[in-house]
Amino acid sequence: MIDGYKELTPVIYGENAIKYLYTEQKKAEGEICFLLHWHDRMELTYVTGGTLRFVTEGEEFLVSAGELAVAGPGQMHGGFAVSEKVCYHTVMFDVERFYNGTAASEKYLRSLGNGELTFVEKIAGKEVSGLLERLVGLLAGRDNGKDSKSSLAAIGTLYEILGCLIEYGRSKSSAKVSPDSGFGQILTYVNHHYTEKLSPAALSAQFGYHEAYFCRRFRELTGITFSEYVRALRMEYAQKLLKESEDEVGTVAWKCGYPDGSYFTREFRKMYGFTPTQFRRMTR
């Protein structure tokens, strides 16, 4: 597993066994909704508007309204906009919390909790979508404090969904692409040096790969090109600096690896639809 992609932000469950988020984003086609990452919990991404390109384990597929993408524990995944507006519900939970000592739990949930199964296709159908609609409704009611019984009902519904998901998972040993330790080192390096001058030619030579293989393998593992990945990291850092510092835009550009402030502004606008100065005004 590639440590450079491990999500470091912990999920705070509080009194609940299930974490729930609703996201509505306006994005340009191909823009990142969430960067490629992995974690030890299970994650369900249920799309209710627009279309998302879901990238996982070296494969990708489109997920549209009423369809589900699943990432098991330890499974790398990322999402990219296909339509101008994308709406999706994210449900996260630790599978181990749902072990209950029964034979069914031991037989089916263990394989999910141990990360033995991976999911490399979208899941659709009235049964699954109906259960998900019920689940997100219960979780929204729970979080809004409207229904004190929603938490228990949501857990029961999640058990039903897990029962449906088992048939879609496949053994990780049969996955087409598995990250190797060499690329793990590369990604860790890029994640720590993305503000510096980086290129596929230099990195492939540094880590002992042919450049053509390096570029192909990088896209297989991340779903995006090397330059797109570096740009995404730089732009995330730029947002942080614009929100939290008093640095001039030119200084922010330099700190993010762009010696040309005008080029940085063009890249920022291309990615987000507004200039760094406009972004700063919007977030203060």
Side-chain angles (χ1 to χ4, degrees):
M1 185 54 61
I2 297 178
D3 289 339
Y5 269 119
K6 185 172 184 180
E7 185 175 80
L8 299 178
T9 306
V11 170
I12 307 300
Y13 291 101
E15 297 179 350
N16 303 306
I18 307 169
K19 181 73 174 180
Y20 166 70
L21 297 170
Y22 173 69
T23 305
E24 189 173 300
Q25 296 177 315
K26 289 185 177 181
K27 296 280 187 177
E29 183 175 349
E31 193 174 339
I32 296 170
C33 293
F34 46 92
L35 280 169
L36 201 74
H37 64 289
W38 66 272
H39 37 63
D40 295 323
R41 61 184 178 274
M42 195 161 192
E43 184 173 309
L44 311 180
T45 303
Y46 179 54
V47 177
T48 52
T51 301
L52 189 72
R53 179 166 63 91
F54 197 79
V55 177
T56 181
E57 301 295 329
E59 300 191 30
E60 59 181 73
F61 48 88
L62 300 181
V63 188
S64 299
E67 298 176 337
L68 170 71
V70 180
Q75 180 176 339
M76 288 206 301
H77 58 286
F80 304 83
V82 175
S83 56
E84 183 177 342
K85 184 177 180 180
V86 184
C87 307
Y88 54 92
H89 302 263
T90 305
V91 177
M92 297 167 281
F93 54 94
D94 292 322
V95 180
E96 290 86 348
R97 289 188 172 207
F98 293 87
Y99 295 166
N100 56 21
T102 63
S105 171
E106 189 66 28
K107 182 177 180 180
Y108 298 112
L109 293 189
R110 287 286 178 187
S111 59
L112 289 176
N114 294 339
E116 296 172 8
L117 295 181
T118 189
F119 297 83
V120 291
E121 61 181 314
K122 67 182 178 184
I123 299 173
K126 290 184 178 180
E127 180 182 11
V128 174
S129 62
L131 288 170
L132 283 160
E133 289 287 349
R134 187 201 311 169
L135 177 63
V136 298
L138 289 167
L139 293 173
R142 177 202 71 184
D143 293 348
N144 291 331
K146 293 180 179 179
D147 187 351
S148 59
K149 299 178 182 178
S150 293
S151 293
L152 185 59
I155 290 173
T157 303
L158 184 57
Y159 270 116
E160 291 186 67
I161 292 172
L162 289 173
C164 294
L165 295 184
I166 293 295
E167 62 182 278
Y168 290 94
R170 77 179 186 191
S171 171
K172 276 201 171 180
S173 61
S174 65
K176 285 185 181 178
V177 178
S178 57
D180 55 72
S181 59
F183 262 79
Q185 294 174 9
I186 291 171
L187 289 167
T188 299
Y189 182 88
V190 173
N191 287 350
H192 286 89
H193 298 271
Y194 60 87
T195 60
E196 301 171 14
K197 187 175 181 179
L198 299 175
S199 70
L203 282 180
S204 57
Q206 180 178 340
F207 287 91
Y209 291 94
H210 291 293
E211 185 177 353
Y213 173 81
F214 173 92
C215 293
R216 184 176 69 253
R217 183 66 168 162
F218 196 96
R219 187 176 179 88
E220 283 178 348
L221 291 175
T222 66
I224 54 178
T225 66
F226 176 80
S227 60
E228 289 171 335
Y229 183 78
V230 172
R231 183 178 67 170
L233 291 176
R234 288 177 173 179
M235 290 301 167
E236 282 194 358
Y237 185 43
Q239 286 192 51
K240 176 180 173 64
L241 292 176
L242 289 166
K243 286 190 289 187
E244 299 178 4
S245 78
E246 299 299 328
D247 291 338
E248 297 289 336
V249 171
T251 303
V252 171
W254 179 79
K255 286 184 176 180
C256 293
Y258 294 99
D260 185 338
S262 297
Y263 177 73
F264 163 72
T265 296
R266 289 196 300 272
E267 287 291 287
F268 194 95
R269 185 166 193 163
K270 185 191 301 181
M271 191 159 191
Y272 299 114
F274 35 76
T275 67
T277 301
Q278 290 170 328
F279 174 80
R280 173 170 271 169
R281 289 184 189 138
M282 291 163 51
T283 55
R284 292 194 172 186

